[in-house]
């Protein structure tokens, strides 16, 4: 072909592209799974046991089938919202804005807890109970206008909202106030003070919503530098769980309809690594095992913590793949596996049957 002759193949390709017929995927990606695989590939102190992962996949699938476990369990809990409207989106956004660091070193009877509806709530449920109680008492805890009001929304206000029925205060109240302040400002500047507008800006993409949260809100930007990798490793626990909670609450419809919901990974905190270790799926090096059992502080963003979180994400992904390989017809994703594992370890904890404690890291990320 001479320089003067047209390249017919290239012209056809360009014509297809201009006509919108070329199948080029421009869907967003969160990068969380990619980072987790890198952490796993380079981990020294956390390892995966593939045989145990396969056994866990079979057990998880079997138990989920027996319990008919699904996203519907989310709304079934007495504390979670039952309506599917803008107020519910605001509730979930606030909930996941503040969904971090509830663990205590005190005995169960003395630890931070919320008394609500004649029950005593601890952990994550203490947050949800306190928010419901605040709304009952006329405190607009889910309103971003309230968060921006420095005279109304103060540290003393949060002490009232999260007042404990024990002598222990909710951890990290100052950090929670800072998260509310920042989120209120961002929502005002970019989303007309509306979490619903934020959700709509993602155009039905779970990955896009996660990326918007990480880009616009520093308090959702759960990403960390790891030695040997130029890009930070993205964990994005609370950003991802916001999407998952919307999906579960709205049962995949309306504002919970995400065409790429399966791009969401598990939510790397301290409970899922604990049960994965209990099940033999992940193992710790002797120094890390000693530190976890001794309940020593493991610094946020450090090598140990990043290995715990990154390897947990990759482990759950392998479990998901194994379930899909053996049961291609089943509709399962990392969200449902995470929810199931979290519920299971809480049941083990309530029965006093924990074989290893969860690792101790104080941070706003989980």
């Amino acid at each position: 072909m001479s320089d003067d002759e047209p390249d017919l193949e290239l012209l056809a390709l360009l014509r297809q592209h201009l006509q919108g017929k070329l199948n080029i995927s421009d869907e967003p990606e969160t990068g969380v799974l990619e980072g987790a695989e890198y952490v796993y590939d380079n981990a020294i102190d956390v390892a995966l046991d593939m045989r145990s992962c396969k056994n866990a996949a079979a057990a998880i699938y079997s138990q989920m089938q027996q319990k008919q476990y699904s996203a519907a369990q989310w709304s079934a809990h007495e504390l979670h919202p039952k309506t599917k409207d803008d107020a519910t989106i605001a509730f979930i956004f606030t909930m996941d804005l503040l969904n971090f660091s509830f663990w205590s070193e005190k005995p169960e009877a003395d630890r931070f807890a919320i008394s609500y509806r004649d029950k005593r709530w601890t952990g994550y449920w203490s947050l949800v109970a306190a928010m419901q109680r605040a709304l009952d008492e006329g405190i607009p805890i889910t309103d971003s206008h309230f968060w921006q009001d420095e005279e109304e929304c103060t540290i003393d206000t949060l002490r009232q909202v999260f007042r404990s029925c024990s002598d222990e205060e909710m951890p990290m109240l100052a950090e929670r106030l800072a998260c509310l302040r920042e989120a209120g400002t961002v929502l005002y500047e970019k989303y007309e003070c509306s979490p619903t507008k934020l959700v709509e800006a993602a155009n039905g993409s779970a990955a896009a919503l996660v990326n918007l949260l990480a880009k616009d809100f520093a308090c959702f930007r759960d990403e960390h530098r790891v030695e040997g990798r130029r890009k930070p490793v993205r964990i994005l626990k609370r950003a991802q769980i916001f999407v998952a909670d919307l999906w579960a609450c709205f049962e995949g419809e309306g504002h919970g309809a995400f065409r790429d919901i399966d791009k969401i990974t598990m939510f790397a905190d301290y409970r899922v690594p604990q049960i994965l270790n209990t099940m033999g799926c992940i193992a710790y090096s002797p120094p890390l095992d000693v530190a976890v059992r001794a309940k020593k502080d493991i610094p946020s963003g450090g090598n140990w913590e990043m290995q715990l979180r990154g390897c947990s994400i990759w482990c759950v992904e392998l479990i998901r793949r194994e379930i899909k390989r053996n049961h291609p017809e089943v509709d399962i994703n990392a969200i449902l596996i995470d929810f199931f594992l979290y519920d299971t370890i809480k049941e083990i904890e309530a029965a006093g049957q924990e074989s290893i404690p969860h690792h101790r890291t104080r941070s706003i990320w989980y």
Side-chain angles (χ1 to χ4, degrees), residues 84-127:
K84 294 174 172 45
D85 52 21
D86 289 350
T88 295
I89 295 174
F91 188 97
I92 295 172
F93 181 78
T94 310
M95 186 177 76
D96 290 324
L97 191 60
L98 303 176
N99 184 3
F100 56 84
S101 200
F102 305 109
W103 56 269
S104 170
E105 296 295 3
K106 293 182 179 292
E108 183 68 19
D110 300 327
R111 66 171 295 182
F112 166 77
I114 295 292
S115 178
Y116 180 63
R117 292 181 182 170
D118 299 321
K119 290 185 181 179
R120 187 176 184 276
W121 305 94
T122 59
Y124 160 76
W125 295 114
S126 68
L127 168 68

Side-chain angles (χ1 to χ4, degrees), residues 261-326:
I261 192 64
D262 289 349
K263 289 182 180 178
I264 301 300
T265 71
M266 64 79 77
F267 319 115
D269 60 0
Y270 45 85
R271 284 302 189 181
V272 177
Q274 180 188 19
I275 191 166
L276 290 175
N277 179 267
T278 300
M279 298 174 79
C281 298
I282 63 175
Y284 305 154
S285 68
L288 177 55
D289 190 77
V290 168
V292 170
R293 292 180 185 278
K295 301 181 180 180
K296 291 185 177 179
D297 177 63
I298 294 178
S300 177
N303 285 334
W304 276 357
E305 197 227 14
M306 291 307 296
Q307 289 179 62
L308 284 165
R309 299 183 80 197
C311 289
S312 295
I313 292 172
W314 191 244
C315 183
V316 170
E317 172 61 16
L318 295 184
I319 289 171
R320 184 197 68 79
R321 292 179 185 181
E322 180 67 10
I323 293 173
K324 286 296 289 184
R325 186 178 71 82
N326 290 307

Side-chain angles (χ1 to χ4, degrees), residues 61 64-65 68-71 247 251-252 258-262 320 323-337:
Y61 171 76
M64 289 178 78
Q65 291 295 108
Q68 297 184 316
Y69 200 87
S70 70
W247 172 74
E251 296 184 48
F258 297 103
R259 61 183 175 275
D260 54 351
I261 192 64
D262 289 349
R320 184 197 68 79
I323 293 173
K324 286 296 289 184
R325 186 178 71 82
N326 290 307
H327 308 280
E329 76 289 350
V330 73
D331 189 15
I332 188 134
N333 55 31
I335 298 170
L336 288 174
I337 296 172

Side-chain angles (χ1 to χ4, degrees), residues 349-361:
E349 178 192 37
Q353 297 174 345
E354 291 173 292
S355 60
I356 187 172
H358 64 75
H359 71 274
R360 263 57 177 177
T361 298

